[in-house]
Amino acid sequence: MAERTFIDAEKFALSFADAAATPLDDKTEVVSAAKKYLLSYLTAYYLVEDFNGIEKENFKSQTETHFRDMTFEQLLDRVQHLNKY
């Protein structure tokens, strides 16, 4: 089986959320900042989960061409197709 890319959704989401977090000058903004952090975390988490599911499907099929065997044009077509979801 070809090597596949796997992103650890939890690690990615935590890193993404940490990068989006900024120090607070105003302590009254803690709830707002926590909501932004949670939104960043959940957005990244589910985005990566979707990616992993789509990527797994692409490597599961033995009848389709794998990414590594595609021409650039085929890969571009596949990416455009995946972006429709």
Side-chain angles (χ1 to χ4, degrees):
M1 179 177 195
E3 273 190 52
R4 63 185 208 98
T5 303
F6 179 78
I7 298 171
D8 183 309
E10 184 174 359
K11 287 180 183 178
F12 179 84
L14 283 172
S15 296
F16 181 84
D18 284 341
T22 56
L24 297 175
D25 292 330
D26 183 0
K27 299 300 179 198
T28 62
E29 295 295 319
V30 171
V31 172
S32 177
K35 287 180 181 179
K36 287 180 184 177
Y37 183 94
L38 184 57
L39 177 63
S40 296
Y41 175 88
L42 292 173
T43 300
Y45 186 91
Y46 288 110
L47 177 67
V48 171
E49 285 291 308
D50 287 346
F51 168 83
N52 285 339
I54 291 169
E55 198 271 348
K56 182 179 177 183
E57 285 299 313
N58 280 300
F59 280 89
K60 190 169 118 177
S61 174
Q62 297 299 322
T63 59
E64 290 188 34
T65 305
H66 294 293
F67 288 138
R68 69 178 182 174
D69 299 325
M70 291 181 181
T71 66
F72 179 75
E73 290 78 19
Q74 289 172 319
L75 183 58
L76 185 58
D77 287 342
R78 176 71 63 89
V79 170
Q80 288 173 343
H81 174 73
L82 292 175
N83 281 331
K84 292 179 184 179
Y85 299 103

